[in-house]
């Protein structure tokens, strides 16, 4: 038996507390103390699968040549008869997602992925072996998560990235990345359930973190501040397989000949940080408005903790309908941009801040909303577009029209962040950038003119509320001029 003497030194040892973590530490060893454990003294080759060892621990002095080693794993040793030193265990029970998993465990408790793996039910027709099933479940869940962070990487490349330096450790039982077929079988055996459960845990942890620590929150209101969220539909390309085309369909062509099938999703994001709180999804090959409105109903059902009276949600022009606005307003607050073809029945005079009350009817429901309309300017140039917002926030002192108009810019910023996060197409992102150029830049630090009505019966006709060139028209109203109230000095966002 080879013996590696260790002279006593005045230093503390990790052996009592076993406090050396896997990774994150460096070990310094004199170069002349690094030796081969093989009986014939030769250096281990690739086929030997053995680590080098230290042959002494003399005090390191200035000028000594020193090898600095990164701690990869702390494991029980397996010493072979020929002197080879190997590690017991496997990367399956040691690889983690690093800082991402550390954050999740701080928010949701230790061992989150292991707990999800333990509850996972494997489909027996794909995986029949019993060895290390629980460990393999957790490892594969981590691989699937990592694939979303490595665009273009296949499952095997994600396995290699997840194992990292652990793949170079001379394990007592030889380890190598699984074949693509084996990985495909494991993915099929797991199914979507564990990933959906993990997604719910991550989104819940993100939401709770923002509830507790979001010092940058975008808020509105004085006596009762409201946090701001944003929701908007987006399309996500998925692999072109027959199953995906059958399940999700595609857009842009009538015969489903689009290059990729697509998932239609509705990201629910935090306006200030663009953090993703939830994202219901469904088929893309359907009517856009109807599909996104159905996803909104799903969001209210799946994420009731997000639709509360301490939050206001910013929504784009995909009109949700009067009945759905009424359901939203009974749970939370909304600030919705309308298209020009949505009729508004004015039920009040012009309020002190330039807004007014109106009724929206449809689907057997009538809801009273407050209307804020304003022109947008970009760097001193007029843009032929009026923004029309409706909200259930009625108090003009608590929520003035100018502040609501300035708040709406966050919908564009939040949507761009969400689109980038879920891999939206470049054309969709480009359209968002143009919206920001036309609206957000001016609202954030230039003139916001809240339109004041000079009209005897109802709102002004002929003002464009959208790029669709639709006009706001109410029968029986005579056309009158629009006068901008306020200027750069008192209405800066």
């Amino acid at each position: 038996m080879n013996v590696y003497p260790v002279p006593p030194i005045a230093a503390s040892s990790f052996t009592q507390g076993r406090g050396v973590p896997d990774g994150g530490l460096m070990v310094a060893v004199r170069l002349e103390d690094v030796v081969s454990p093989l009986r014939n003294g030769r250096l281990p080759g690739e086929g030997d699968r053995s680590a080098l060892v230290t042959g002494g621990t003399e005090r390191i002095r200035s000028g000594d040549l020193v090898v600095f080693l990164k701690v990869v794993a702390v494991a029980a040793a397996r010493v072979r008869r020929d002197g080879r030193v190997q590690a017991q265990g496997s990367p399956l029970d040691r690889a983690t997602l690093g800082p991402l998993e550390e954050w999740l465990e701080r928010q949701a408790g230790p061992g989150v992925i292991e707990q999800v793996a333990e509850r996972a039910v494997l489909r027996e027709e794909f995986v029949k072996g019993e060895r290390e099933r629980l460990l393999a479940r957790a490892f594969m869940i981590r691989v699937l998560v990592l694939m979303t962070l490595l665009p273009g990487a296949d499952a095997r490349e994600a396995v290699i990235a997840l194992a990292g330096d652990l793949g170079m450790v001379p394990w007592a039982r030889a380890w190598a990345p699984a074949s693509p077929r084996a990985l495909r079988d494991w993915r099929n055996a797991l199914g979507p359930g564990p990933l959906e459960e993990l997604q719910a845990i991550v989104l819940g942890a993100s939401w709770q973190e923002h509830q507790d620590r979001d010092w940058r929150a975008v808020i509105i209101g004085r006596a009762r501040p409201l946090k701001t969220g944003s929701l908007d539909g987006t399309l996500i390309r998925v692999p072109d397989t027959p199953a995906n085309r059958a399940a999700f369909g595609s857009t842009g062509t009538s015969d489903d000949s689009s290059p990729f099938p697509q998932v239609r999703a509705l990201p629910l994001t935090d306006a200030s940080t663009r953090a993703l709180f939830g994202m219901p999804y469904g088929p893309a090959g359907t009517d856009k408005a109807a599909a996104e409105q159905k996803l909104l109903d799903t969001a209210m059902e799946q994420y009731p903790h997000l639709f509360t009276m301490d939050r206001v949600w910013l929504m784009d022009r995909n009109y949700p309908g009067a009945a759905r606005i009424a359901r939203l307003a009974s749970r939370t607050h909304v600030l919705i941009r309308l298209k020009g073809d949505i009729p508004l029945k004015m039920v009040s005079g012009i309020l002190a801040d330039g807004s007014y009350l109106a009724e929206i009817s449809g689907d057997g429901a009538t809801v009273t909303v407050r209307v804020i309309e304003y022109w947008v300017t970009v760097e001193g140039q007029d843009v032929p577009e009026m923004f029309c917002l409706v909200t259930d926030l009625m108090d003009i002192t608590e929520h003035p029209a100018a502040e609501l108009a300035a708040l709406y810019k966050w919908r564009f910023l939040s949507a761009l962040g969400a689109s980038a996060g879920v891999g939206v197409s470049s054309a969709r992102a480009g359209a968002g950038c143009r919206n920001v150029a036309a609206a957000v830049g001016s609202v954030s630090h230039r003139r916001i003119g809240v339109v004041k009505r000079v009209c005897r019966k109802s709102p002004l006709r002929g003002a464009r509320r959208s790029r669709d060139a639709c006009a706001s028209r109410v029968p029986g109203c005579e056309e009158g001029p629009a006068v901008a109230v306020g200027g750069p000095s008192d209405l800066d966002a």
Side-chain angles (χ1 to χ4, degrees):
M1 173 181 289
N2 291 348
V3 177
Y4 313 105
V6 180
I9 58 174
S12 61
S13 173
F14 283 100
T15 56
Q16 294 180 352
R18 298 187 181 278
V20 181
D22 290 358
L25 288 179
M26 298 293 291
V27 176
V29 181
R30 293 195 314 160
L31 178 60
E32 61 186 271
D33 292 336
V34 179
V35 298
S36 169
L38 301 184
R39 292 187 181 277
N40 57 13
R42 66 179 177 83
L43 292 177
E46 291 185 5
D48 294 315
R49 290 195 304 107
S50 175
L52 297 175
V53 297
T54 55
T57 55
E58 296 291 335
R59 184 181 297 276
I60 296 176
R61 304 182 184 280
S62 295
D64 289 346
L65 292 179
V66 175
V67 179
F68 290 90
L69 311 170
K70 181 177 70 172
V71 175
V72 175
V74 179
R78 177 73 179 272
V79 181
R80 302 292 185 177
R81 291 182 179 180
D82 59 0
R84 288 179 297 160
V85 177
Q86 298 174 339
Q88 296 184 18
S90 166
L92 294 180
D93 58 349
R94 293 176 177 274
T96 72
L97 295 171
L100 179 63
E101 194 164 335
E102 292 171 6
W103 170 86
L104 179 59
E105 294 194 348
R106 286 196 302 270
Q107 302 302 317
V112 173
I113 293 181
E114 279 74 16
Q115 293 170 21
V116 172
E118 189 172 4
R119 292 188 289 269
V121 178
L122 297 177
R123 298 170 63 183
E124 295 291 337
E125 64 266 32
F126 293 105
V127 176
K128 301 183 183 303
E130 298 292 337
R131 185 178 63 85
E132 293 183 330
R133 271 201 169 190
L134 175 59
L135 300 179
R137 290 179 205 167
F139 187 84
M140 280 305 302
I141 290 173
R142 292 183 174 98
V143 168
L144 295 177
V145 171
L146 190 58
M147 287 179 67
T148 67
L149 305 176
L150 298 173
D154 59 23
R156 197 168 190 273
E157 291 170 330
V159 167
I160 295 172
L162 180 62
D165 292 339
L166 291 170
M168 299 187 297
V169 174
W171 300 102
R173 187 184 183 103
W175 180 87
S179 67
R181 178 178 178 179
L183 293 170
R184 183 172 62 251
D185 287 344
W186 265 103
R187 290 177 65 180
N188 292 332
L190 280 172
L195 274 298
E196 290 176 346
E197 181 181 352
L198 182 61
Q199 180 196 52
I201 294 172
V202 172
L203 293 176
S206 176
W207 176 82
Q208 188 60 51
E209 184 180 44
H210 284 278
Q211 288 294 101
D212 297 339
R213 299 177 49 195
D214 193 5
W215 57 271
R216 297 180 300 177
V218 177
I219 59 175
I220 189 169
R222 293 166 171 77
R224 191 170 58 87
L226 304 175
K227 290 185 178 181
T228 306
S230 175
L231 60 91
D232 188 22
T234 190
L235 291 172
I236 306 171
R237 292 176 176 176
V238 294
D240 188 9
T241 64
N244 281 343
R245 283 202 177 269
F248 303 117
S250 62
T251 62
T253 59
S254 59
D255 59 353
D256 196 25
S257 61
S258 176
F260 292 94
Q262 296 163 312
V263 172
R264 190 177 298 281
L266 187 71
L268 309 174
T269 60
D270 178 72
S272 63
T273 63
R274 308 177 194 176
L276 184 65
F277 288 158
M279 190 170 68
Y281 62 90
T286 56
D287 178 72
K288 178 180 185 295
E292 290 188 2
Q293 289 161 14
K294 184 177 180 180
L295 291 178
L296 179 54
D297 293 336
T298 302
M300 286 189 282
E301 178 182 346
Q302 291 184 349
Y303 310 109
H305 59 284
L306 297 179
F307 294 90
T308 54
M309 286 298 177
D310 62 349
R311 193 179 296 273
V312 55
W313 286 96
L314 309 180
M315 301 170 61
D316 200 9
R317 296 174 295 168
N318 188 15
Y319 180 58
R324 195 170 281 104
I325 291 176
R327 290 202 302 275
L328 283 165
S330 67
R331 303 181 183 188
T332 187
H333 301 289
V334 295
L335 184 62
I336 306 171
R337 183 182 174 197
L338 291 188
K339 289 184 178 180
D341 56 355
I342 306 300
L344 295 171
K345 180 182 178 181
M346 190 173 185
V347 296
S348 78
I350 302 300
L351 305 178
D353 64 346
S355 62
Y356 61 91
L357 304 184
E359 289 181 349
I360 301 177
S361 299
D363 302 321
T366 297
V367 60
T368 301
V369 294
R370 182 164 153 236
V371 183
I372 300 101
E373 294 180 335
Y374 56 95
W375 297 103
V376 173
T377 61
V378 180
E379 298 299 332
Q381 299 180 1
D382 290 336
V383 176
E385 182 172 359
M386 176 196 287
F387 273 43
C388 175
L389 312 179
V390 297
T391 181
D392 65 310
L393 299 171
M394 301 297 184
D395 191 337
I396 66 173
T397 302
E398 181 77 1
H399 308 105
E403 292 184 11
L404 289 171
L407 181 69
Y408 191 74
K409 69 172 184 180
W410 289 96
R411 199 212 64 77
F412 295 99
L413 295 172
S414 186
L416 283 179
S419 296
V422 299
V424 74
S425 67
S426 58
R428 171 72 168 81
C433 291
R434 288 193 295 273
N435 282 340
V436 171
V440 174
S442 60
V443 172
S444 61
H445 50 104
R446 283 293 182 266
R447 296 188 292 277
I448 301 173
V450 179
V451 177
K452 181 177 181 180
R453 305 297 169 208
V454 185
C455 185
R456 292 193 294 272
K457 296 182 180 180
S458 57
L460 175 68
R461 293 190 300 168
R464 287 182 56 188
R465 284 202 239 138
S466 71
R467 295 190 187 279
D468 303 329
C470 296
S472 171
R473 296 185 180 275
V474 178
C477 175
E478 296 181 6
E479 189 170 336
V483 180
V485 178
S489 59
D490 58 347
L491 286 177
D492 273 1

